[in-house]
Amino acid sequence: MVPERLKEHLGRTYGISEPVIQQIWDDLLAYHQQSPEEYIRHRHLELQDQGLKNDQIYHILRKEMRQRLFPGPELTVRQVRRIIYG
């Protein structure tokens, strides 16, 4: 449930409805509740769909993991590869 004050602020500031605010809130929570492994697997597929090669992707994922709101552990390229491929 979206905190009432935040809901009011977003509605006033951006003119969006309560259902839209709730949907945004749910999406944000789902994004930030992903485990590092879930995030890496999901993001790997997104980056592949953009045409990037694994060597590029591994370094992007390592950087993104350090920049997350709740960063995961510092991972090596090998650890990233193992998360993706087992």
Side-chain angles (χ1 to χ4, degrees), residues 26-55:
D26 292 343
D27 286 347
L28 284 169
L29 286 179
Y31 177 81
H32 288 292
Q33 289 176 344
Q34 290 179 345
S35 70
E37 294 80 11
E38 291 170 324
Y39 176 81
I40 286 172
R41 288 185 192 108
H42 176 258
R43 186 71 173 123
H44 176 255
L45 293 175
E46 288 179 343
L47 293 170
Q48 278 186 325
D49 287 346
Q50 293 176 20
L52 297 174
K53 301 295 181 196
N54 279 339
D55 286 340

PDB file of all heavy atoms in Angstrom, residues 26-55:
ATOM      1  N   ASP A  26       3.862  -0.509  -6.946  1.00  0.00           N
ATOM      2  CA  ASP A  26       4.043  -1.960  -7.025  1.00  0.00           C
ATOM      3  C   ASP A  26       5.242  -2.316  -7.909  1.00  0.00           C
ATOM      4  O   ASP A  26       6.025  -3.213  -7.583  1.00  0.00           O
ATOM      5  CB  ASP A  26       2.784  -2.633  -7.557  1.00  0.00           C
ATOM      6  CG  ASP A  26       1.606  -2.544  -6.592  1.00  0.00           C
ATOM      7  OD1 ASP A  26       1.826  -2.257  -5.388  1.00  0.00           O
ATOM      8  OD2 ASP A  26       0.464  -2.749  -7.056  1.00  0.00           O
ATOM      9  N   ASP A  27       5.389  -1.612  -9.038  1.00  0.00           N
ATOM     10  CA  ASP A  27       6.526  -1.860  -9.937  1.00  0.00           C
ATOM     11  C   ASP A  27       7.850  -1.531  -9.256  1.00  0.00           C
ATOM     12  O   ASP A  27       8.825  -2.279  -9.383  1.00  0.00           O
ATOM     13  CB  ASP A  27       6.399  -1.039 -11.217  1.00  0.00           C
ATOM     14  CG  ASP A  27       5.338  -1.569 -12.163  1.00  0.00           C
ATOM     15  OD1 ASP A  27       4.855  -2.701 -11.958  1.00  0.00           O
ATOM     16  OD2 ASP A  27       4.987  -0.838 -13.109  1.00  0.00           O
ATOM     17  N   LEU A  28       7.903  -0.414  -8.539  1.00  0.00           N
ATOM     18  CA  LEU A  28       9.127  -0.032  -7.833  1.00  0.00           C
ATOM     19  C   LEU A  28       9.497  -1.054  -6.767  1.00  0.00           C
ATOM     20  O   LEU A  28      10.664  -1.439  -6.637  1.00  0.00           O
ATOM     21  CB  LEU A  28       8.979   1.353  -7.186  1.00  0.00           C
ATOM     22  CG  LEU A  28       9.075   2.533  -8.127  1.00  0.00           C
ATOM     23  CD1 LEU A  28       8.647   3.817  -7.410  1.00  0.00           C
ATOM     24  CD2 LEU A  28      10.477   2.675  -8.680  1.00  0.00           C
ATOM     25  N   LEU A  29       8.512  -1.490  -6.002  1.00  0.00           N
ATOM     26  CA  LEU A  29       8.785  -2.498  -4.977  1.00  0.00           C
ATOM     27  C   LEU A  29       9.287  -3.798  -5.596  1.00  0.00           C
ATOM     28  O   LEU A  29      10.257  -4.387  -5.110  1.00  0.00           O
ATOM     29  CB  LEU A  29       7.536  -2.768  -4.137  1.00  0.00           C
ATOM     30  CG  LEU A  29       7.145  -1.700  -3.137  1.00  0.00           C
ATOM     31  CD1 LEU A  29       5.865  -2.109  -2.406  1.00  0.00           C
ATOM     32  CD2 LEU A  29       8.249  -1.422  -2.153  1.00  0.00           C
ATOM     33  N   ALA A  30       8.639  -4.242  -6.659  1.00  0.00           N
ATOM     34  CA  ALA A  30       9.057  -5.483  -7.314  1.00  0.00           C
ATOM     35  C   ALA A  30      10.478  -5.361  -7.837  1.00  0.00           C
ATOM     36  O   ALA A  30      11.284  -6.284  -7.692  1.00  0.00           O
ATOM     37  CB  ALA A  30       8.095  -5.826  -8.445  1.00  0.00           C
ATOM     38  N   TYR A  31      10.810  -4.223  -8.418  1.00  0.00           N
ATOM     39  CA  TYR A  31      12.154  -4.013  -8.957  1.00  0.00           C
ATOM     40  C   TYR A  31      13.204  -4.087  -7.855  1.00  0.00           C
ATOM     41  O   TYR A  31      14.221  -4.745  -7.986  1.00  0.00           O
ATOM     42  CB  TYR A  31      12.224  -2.657  -9.661  1.00  0.00           C
ATOM     43  CG  TYR A  31      13.587  -2.321 -10.197  1.00  0.00           C
ATOM     44  CD1 TYR A  31      14.013  -2.833 -11.408  1.00  0.00           C
ATOM     45  CD2 TYR A  31      14.452  -1.501  -9.484  1.00  0.00           C
ATOM     46  CE1 TYR A  31      15.272  -2.535 -11.906  1.00  0.00           C
ATOM     47  CE2 TYR A  31      15.711  -1.197  -9.976  1.00  0.00           C
ATOM     48  CZ  TYR A  31      16.115  -1.712 -11.183  1.00  0.00           C
ATOM     49  OH  TYR A  31      17.361  -1.419 -11.663  1.00  0.00           O
ATOM     50  N   HIS A  32      12.944  -3.420  -6.741  1.00  0.00           N
ATOM     51  CA  HIS A  32      13.932  -3.350  -5.668  1.00  0.00           C
ATOM     52  C   HIS A  32      13.928  -4.577  -4.765  1.00  0.00           C
ATOM     53  O   HIS A  32      14.840  -4.744  -3.964  1.00  0.00           O
ATOM     54  CB  HIS A  32      13.758  -2.076  -4.847  1.00  0.00           C
ATOM     55  CG  HIS A  32      14.203  -0.857  -5.594  1.00  0.00           C
ATOM     56  ND1 HIS A  32      15.519  -0.625  -5.918  1.00  0.00           N
ATOM     57  CD2 HIS A  32      13.515   0.171  -6.109  1.00  0.00           C
ATOM     58  CE1 HIS A  32      15.623   0.497  -6.579  1.00  0.00           C
ATOM     59  NE2 HIS A  32      14.426   1.001  -6.722  1.00  0.00           N
ATOM     60  N   GLN A  33      12.945  -5.434  -4.895  1.00  0.00           N
ATOM     61  CA  GLN A  33      12.909  -6.644  -4.085  1.00  0.00           C
ATOM     62  C   GLN A  33      13.552  -7.830  -4.784  1.00  0.00           C
ATOM     63  O   GLN A  33      13.657  -8.905  -4.208  1.00  0.00           O
ATOM     64  CB  GLN A  33      11.468  -6.978  -3.685  1.00  0.00           C
ATOM     65  CG  GLN A  33      10.921  -6.008  -2.671  1.00  0.00           C
ATOM     66  CD  GLN A  33       9.461  -6.271  -2.326  1.00  0.00           C
ATOM     67  OE1 GLN A  33       8.753  -6.975  -3.034  1.00  0.00           O
ATOM     68  NE2 GLN A  33       9.016  -5.691  -1.238  1.00  0.00           N
ATOM     69  N   GLN A  34      14.009  -7.633  -6.023  1.00  0.00           N
ATOM     70  CA  GLN A  34      14.695  -8.718  -6.725  1.00  0.00           C
ATOM     71  C   GLN A  34      15.993  -9.052  -6.009  1.00  0.00           C
ATOM     72  O   GLN A  34      16.709  -8.163  -5.568  1.00  0.00           O
ATOM     73  CB  GLN A  34      15.057  -8.301  -8.152  1.00  0.00           C
ATOM     74  CG  GLN A  34      13.911  -8.157  -9.079  1.00  0.00           C
ATOM     75  CD  GLN A  34      14.386  -7.718 -10.463  1.00  0.00           C
ATOM     76  OE1 GLN A  34      15.500  -7.267 -10.651  1.00  0.00           O
ATOM     77  NE2 GLN A  34      13.519  -7.861 -11.438  1.00  0.00           N
ATOM     78  N   SER A  35      16.274 -10.320  -5.922  1.00  0.00           N
ATOM     79  CA  SER A  35      17.572 -10.725  -5.395  1.00  0.00           C
ATOM     80  C   SER A  35      18.630 -10.368  -6.436  1.00  0.00           C
ATOM     81  O   SER A  35      18.305 -10.160  -7.613  1.00  0.00           O
ATOM     82  CB  SER A  35      17.593 -12.236  -5.143  1.00  0.00           C
ATOM     83  OG  SER A  35      17.584 -12.938  -6.377  1.00  0.00           O
ATOM     84  N   PRO A  36      19.899 -10.291  -6.034  1.00  0.00           N
ATOM     85  CA  PRO A  36      20.948 -10.022  -7.025  1.00  0.00           C
ATOM     86  C   PRO A  36      20.909 -11.030  -8.184  1.00  0.00           C
ATOM     87  O   PRO A  36      21.075 -10.650  -9.341  1.00  0.00           O
ATOM     88  CB  PRO A  36      22.246 -10.146  -6.225  1.00  0.00           C
ATOM     89  CG  PRO A  36      21.855  -9.784  -4.832  1.00  0.00           C
ATOM     90  CD  PRO A  36      20.450 -10.337  -4.681  1.00  0.00           C
ATOM     91  N   GLU A  37      20.650 -12.284  -7.880  1.00  0.00           N
ATOM     92  CA  GLU A  37      20.610 -13.312  -8.919  1.00  0.00           C
ATOM     93  C   GLU A  37      19.449 -13.078  -9.895  1.00  0.00           C
ATOM     94  O   GLU A  37      19.612 -13.198 -11.112  1.00  0.00           O
ATOM     95  CB  GLU A  37      20.504 -14.706  -8.296  1.00  0.00           C
ATOM     96  CG  GLU A  37      21.722 -15.129  -7.505  1.00  0.00           C
ATOM     97  CD  GLU A  37      21.784 -14.541  -6.092  1.00  0.00           C
ATOM     98  OE1 GLU A  37      20.796 -13.954  -5.619  1.00  0.00           O
ATOM     99  OE2 GLU A  37      22.856 -14.666  -5.482  1.00  0.00           O
ATOM    100  N   GLU A  38      18.280 -12.747  -9.357  1.00  0.00           N
ATOM    101  CA  GLU A  38      17.122 -12.472 -10.218  1.00  0.00           C
ATOM    102  C   GLU A  38      17.395 -11.263 -11.109  1.00  0.00           C
ATOM    103  O   GLU A  38      17.089 -11.286 -12.304  1.00  0.00           O
ATOM    104  CB  GLU A  38      15.881 -12.197  -9.367  1.00  0.00           C
ATOM    105  CG  GLU A  38      15.348 -13.389  -8.630  1.00  0.00           C
ATOM    106  CD  GLU A  38      14.286 -13.011  -7.619  1.00  0.00           C
ATOM    107  OE1 GLU A  38      14.374 -11.945  -6.970  1.00  0.00           O
ATOM    108  OE2 GLU A  38      13.339 -13.813  -7.478  1.00  0.00           O
ATOM    109  N   TYR A  39      17.961 -10.216 -10.510  1.00  0.00           N
ATOM    110  CA  TYR A  39      18.262  -9.008 -11.271  1.00  0.00           C
ATOM    111  C   TYR A  39      19.239  -9.325 -12.398  1.00  0.00           C
ATOM    112  O   TYR A  39      19.029  -8.924 -13.550  1.00  0.00           O
ATOM    113  CB  TYR A  39      18.845  -7.915 -10.368  1.00  0.00           C
ATOM    114  CG  TYR A  39      19.248  -6.690 -11.140  1.00  0.00           C
ATOM    115  CD1 TYR A  39      18.300  -5.739 -11.506  1.00  0.00           C
ATOM    116  CD2 TYR A  39      20.566  -6.494 -11.547  1.00  0.00           C
ATOM    117  CE1 TYR A  39      18.658  -4.627 -12.236  1.00  0.00           C
ATOM    118  CE2 TYR A  39      20.928  -5.383 -12.286  1.00  0.00           C
ATOM    119  CZ  TYR A  39      19.974  -4.443 -12.620  1.00  0.00           C
ATOM    120  OH  TYR A  39      20.330  -3.347 -13.360  1.00  0.00           O
ATOM    121  N   ILE A  40      20.294 -10.043 -12.109  1.00  0.00           N
ATOM    122  CA  ILE A  40      21.321 -10.349 -13.108  1.00  0.00           C
ATOM    123  C   ILE A  40      20.729 -11.170 -14.250  1.00  0.00           C
ATOM    124  O   ILE A  40      20.973 -10.882 -15.422  1.00  0.00           O
ATOM    125  CB  ILE A  40      22.525 -11.051 -12.457  1.00  0.00           C
ATOM    126  CG1 ILE A  40      23.330 -10.027 -11.644  1.00  0.00           C
ATOM    127  CG2 ILE A  40      23.399 -11.750 -13.501  1.00  0.00           C
ATOM    128  CD1 ILE A  40      24.440 -10.619 -10.802  1.00  0.00           C
ATOM    129  N   ARG A  41      19.959 -12.185 -13.935  1.00  0.00           N
ATOM    130  CA  ARG A  41      19.378 -13.020 -14.989  1.00  0.00           C
ATOM    131  C   ARG A  41      18.428 -12.220 -15.882  1.00  0.00           C
ATOM    132  O   ARG A  41      18.464 -12.318 -17.111  1.00  0.00           O
ATOM    133  CB  ARG A  41      18.656 -14.211 -14.379  1.00  0.00           C
ATOM    134  CG  ARG A  41      19.601 -15.239 -13.807  1.00  0.00           C
ATOM    135  CD  ARG A  41      18.865 -16.482 -13.300  1.00  0.00           C
ATOM    136  NE  ARG A  41      19.772 -17.293 -12.525  1.00  0.00           N
ATOM    137  CZ  ARG A  41      19.714 -17.427 -11.198  1.00  0.00           C
ATOM    138  NH1 ARG A  41      18.765 -16.828 -10.510  1.00  0.00           N
ATOM    139  NH2 ARG A  41      20.592 -18.173 -10.563  1.00  0.00           N
ATOM    140  N   HIS A  42      17.578 -11.425 -15.244  1.00  0.00           N
ATOM    141  CA  HIS A  42      16.602 -10.624 -15.988  1.00  0.00           C
ATOM    142  C   HIS A  42      17.302  -9.564 -16.842  1.00  0.00           C
ATOM    143  O   HIS A  42      17.013  -9.411 -18.033  1.00  0.00           O
ATOM    144  CB  HIS A  42      15.631  -9.965 -14.989  1.00  0.00           C
ATOM    145  CG  HIS A  42      14.663  -9.046 -15.628  1.00  0.00           C
ATOM    146  ND1 HIS A  42      14.793  -7.683 -15.602  1.00  0.00           N
ATOM    147  CD2 HIS A  42      13.540  -9.294 -16.330  1.00  0.00           C
ATOM    148  CE1 HIS A  42      13.797  -7.128 -16.256  1.00  0.00           C
ATOM    149  NE2 HIS A  42      13.017  -8.079 -16.711  1.00  0.00           N
ATOM    150  N   ARG A  43      18.238  -8.864 -16.267  1.00  0.00           N
ATOM    151  CA  ARG A  43      18.937  -7.787 -16.969  1.00  0.00           C
ATOM    152  C   ARG A  43      19.812  -8.343 -18.096  1.00  0.00           C
ATOM    153  O   ARG A  43      19.935  -7.720 -19.151  1.00  0.00           O
ATOM    154  CB  ARG A  43      19.779  -6.992 -15.964  1.00  0.00           C
ATOM    155  CG  ARG A  43      20.419  -5.778 -16.550  1.00  0.00           C
ATOM    156  CD  ARG A  43      19.396  -4.697 -16.854  1.00  0.00           C
ATOM    157  NE  ARG A  43      20.112  -3.504 -17.253  1.00  0.00           N
ATOM    158  CZ  ARG A  43      19.940  -2.867 -18.395  1.00  0.00           C
ATOM    159  NH1 ARG A  43      18.996  -3.250 -19.227  1.00  0.00           N
ATOM    160  NH2 ARG A  43      20.669  -1.810 -18.688  1.00  0.00           N
ATOM    161  N   HIS A  44      20.381  -9.526 -17.894  1.00  0.00           N
ATOM    162  CA  HIS A  44      21.184 -10.175 -18.933  1.00  0.00           C
ATOM    163  C   HIS A  44      20.347 -10.370 -20.197  1.00  0.00           C
ATOM    164  O   HIS A  44      20.796 -10.064 -21.308  1.00  0.00           O
ATOM    165  CB  HIS A  44      21.718 -11.517 -18.422  1.00  0.00           C
ATOM    166  CG  HIS A  44      22.474 -12.284 -19.438  1.00  0.00           C
ATOM    167  ND1 HIS A  44      21.937 -13.388 -20.064  1.00  0.00           N
ATOM    168  CD2 HIS A  44      23.726 -12.119 -19.950  1.00  0.00           C
ATOM    169  CE1 HIS A  44      22.837 -13.868 -20.922  1.00  0.00           C
ATOM    170  NE2 HIS A  44      23.925 -13.120 -20.866  1.00  0.00           N
ATOM    171  N   LEU A  45      19.136 -10.854 -20.033  1.00  0.00           N
ATOM    172  CA  LEU A  45      18.262 -11.059 -21.188  1.00  0.00           C
ATOM    173  C   LEU A  45      17.922  -9.736 -21.868  1.00  0.00           C
ATOM    174  O   LEU A  45      17.890  -9.652 -23.101  1.00  0.00           O
ATOM    175  CB  LEU A  45      16.983 -11.786 -20.767  1.00  0.00           C
ATOM    176  CG  LEU A  45      17.164 -13.225 -20.297  1.00  0.00           C
ATOM    177  CD1 LEU A  45      15.842 -13.792 -19.783  1.00  0.00           C
ATOM    178  CD2 LEU A  45      17.738 -14.091 -21.398  1.00  0.00           C
ATOM    179  N   GLU A  46      17.657  -8.689 -21.085  1.00  0.00           N
ATOM    180  CA  GLU A  46      17.373  -7.377 -21.661  1.00  0.00           C
ATOM    181  C   GLU A  46      18.549  -6.871 -22.491  1.00  0.00           C
ATOM    182  O   GLU A  46      18.360  -6.360 -23.599  1.00  0.00           O
ATOM    183  CB  GLU A  46      17.079  -6.351 -20.561  1.00  0.00           C
ATOM    184  CG  GLU A  46      15.764  -6.512 -19.862  1.00  0.00           C
ATOM    185  CD  GLU A  46      15.554  -5.471 -18.781  1.00  0.00           C
ATOM    186  OE1 GLU A  46      16.519  -4.818 -18.332  1.00  0.00           O
ATOM    187  OE2 GLU A  46      14.387  -5.310 -18.374  1.00  0.00           O
ATOM    188  N   LEU A  47      19.744  -7.000 -21.952  1.00  0.00           N
ATOM    189  CA  LEU A  47      20.927  -6.511 -22.652  1.00  0.00           C
ATOM    190  C   LEU A  47      21.222  -7.342 -23.901  1.00  0.00           C
ATOM    191  O   LEU A  47      21.639  -6.796 -24.926  1.00  0.00           O
ATOM    192  CB  LEU A  47      22.128  -6.481 -21.703  1.00  0.00           C
ATOM    193  CG  LEU A  47      22.011  -5.461 -20.562  1.00  0.00           C
ATOM    194  CD1 LEU A  47      23.115  -5.675 -19.535  1.00  0.00           C
ATOM    195  CD2 LEU A  47      22.037  -4.035 -21.083  1.00  0.00           C
ATOM    196  N   GLN A  48      20.975  -8.642 -23.841  1.00  0.00           N
ATOM    197  CA  GLN A  48      21.128  -9.483 -25.037  1.00  0.00           C
ATOM    198  C   GLN A  48      20.151  -9.043 -26.120  1.00  0.00           C
ATOM    199  O   GLN A  48      20.500  -8.987 -27.297  1.00  0.00           O
ATOM    200  CB  GLN A  48      20.901 -10.951 -24.705  1.00  0.00           C
ATOM    201  CG  GLN A  48      22.086 -11.650 -24.124  1.00  0.00           C
ATOM    202  CD  GLN A  48      21.823 -13.139 -23.967  1.00  0.00           C
ATOM    203  OE1 GLN A  48      20.713 -13.574 -23.666  1.00  0.00           O
ATOM    204  NE2 GLN A  48      22.871 -13.931 -24.162  1.00  0.00           N
ATOM    205  N   ASP A  49      18.910  -8.730 -25.710  1.00  0.00           N
ATOM    206  CA  ASP A  49      17.902  -8.281 -26.673  1.00  0.00           C
ATOM    207  C   ASP A  49      18.308  -6.964 -27.342  1.00  0.00           C
ATOM    208  O   ASP A  49      17.851  -6.667 -28.436  1.00  0.00           O
ATOM    209  CB  ASP A  49      16.540  -8.110 -25.999  1.00  0.00           C
ATOM    210  CG  ASP A  49      15.880  -9.436 -25.662  1.00  0.00           C
ATOM    211  OD1 ASP A  49      16.323 -10.489 -26.179  1.00  0.00           O
ATOM    212  OD2 ASP A  49      14.917  -9.423 -24.857  1.00  0.00           O
ATOM    213  N   GLN A  50      19.164  -6.192 -26.673  1.00  0.00           N
ATOM    214  CA  GLN A  50      19.663  -4.935 -27.252  1.00  0.00           C
ATOM    215  C   GLN A  50      20.846  -5.185 -28.186  1.00  0.00           C
ATOM    216  O   GLN A  50      21.393  -4.252 -28.757  1.00  0.00           O
ATOM    217  CB  GLN A  50      20.083  -3.974 -26.146  1.00  0.00           C
ATOM    218  CG  GLN A  50      18.945  -3.471 -25.305  1.00  0.00           C
ATOM    219  CD  GLN A  50      19.416  -2.598 -24.156  1.00  0.00           C
ATOM    220  OE1 GLN A  50      20.519  -2.065 -24.157  1.00  0.00           O
ATOM    221  NE2 GLN A  50      18.560  -2.453 -23.157  1.00  0.00           N
ATOM    222  N   GLY A  51      21.252  -6.442 -28.316  1.00  0.00           N
ATOM    223  CA  GLY A  51      22.324  -6.798 -29.237  1.00  0.00           C
ATOM    224  C   GLY A  51      23.717  -6.777 -28.636  1.00  0.00           C
ATOM    225  O   GLY A  51      24.705  -6.915 -29.361  1.00  0.00           O
ATOM    226  N   LEU A  52      23.819  -6.623 -27.324  1.00  0.00           N
ATOM    227  CA  LEU A  52      25.137  -6.608 -26.690  1.00  0.00           C
ATOM    228  C   LEU A  52      25.668  -8.029 -26.538  1.00  0.00           C
ATOM    229  O   LEU A  52      24.905  -8.983 -26.403  1.00  0.00           O
ATOM    230  CB  LEU A  52      25.068  -5.931 -25.317  1.00  0.00           C
ATOM    231  CG  LEU A  52      24.669  -4.456 -25.333  1.00  0.00           C
ATOM    232  CD1 LEU A  52      24.498  -3.943 -23.917  1.00  0.00           C
ATOM    233  CD2 LEU A  52      25.678  -3.620 -26.088  1.00  0.00           C
ATOM    234  N   LYS A  53      26.968  -8.153 -26.555  1.00  0.00           N
ATOM    235  CA  LYS A  53      27.638  -9.435 -26.383  1.00  0.00           C
ATOM    236  C   LYS A  53      27.938  -9.662 -24.906  1.00  0.00           C
ATOM    237  O   LYS A  53      28.050  -8.718 -24.116  1.00  0.00           O
ATOM    238  CB  LYS A  53      28.948  -9.477 -27.183  1.00  0.00           C
ATOM    239  CG  LYS A  53      28.748  -9.271 -28.666  1.00  0.00           C
ATOM    240  CD  LYS A  53      27.952 -10.406 -29.265  1.00  0.00           C
ATOM    241  CE  LYS A  53      27.761 -10.207 -30.759  1.00  0.00           C
ATOM    242  NZ  LYS A  53      26.728 -11.025 -31.302  1.00  0.00           N
ATOM    243  N   ASN A  54      28.092 -10.926 -24.528  1.00  0.00           N
ATOM    244  CA  ASN A  54      28.282 -11.274 -23.120  1.00  0.00           C
ATOM    245  C   ASN A  54      29.464 -10.562 -22.468  1.00  0.00           C
ATOM    246  O   ASN A  54      29.368 -10.147 -21.320  1.00  0.00           O
ATOM    247  CB  ASN A  54      28.404 -12.781 -22.948  1.00  0.00           C
ATOM    248  CG  ASN A  54      27.055 -13.455 -22.930  1.00  0.00           C
ATOM    249  OD1 ASN A  54      26.038 -12.829 -22.657  1.00  0.00           O
ATOM    250  ND2 ASN A  54      27.031 -14.737 -23.221  1.00  0.00           N
ATOM    251  N   ASP A  55      30.571 -10.416 -23.183  1.00  0.00           N
ATOM    252  CA  ASP A  55      31.718  -9.734 -22.577  1.00  0.00           C
ATOM    253  C   ASP A  55      31.355  -8.327 -22.132  1.00  0.00           C
ATOM    254  O   ASP A  55      31.769  -7.869 -21.062  1.00  0.00           O
ATOM    255  CB  ASP A  55      32.906  -9.684 -23.550  1.00  0.00           C
ATOM    256  CG  ASP A  55      33.587 -11.031 -23.710  1.00  0.00           C
ATOM    257  OD1 ASP A  55      33.407 -11.895 -22.822  1.00  0.00           O
ATOM    258  OD2 ASP A  55      34.292 -11.218 -24.709  1.00  0.00           O
TER     259      ASP A  55
END
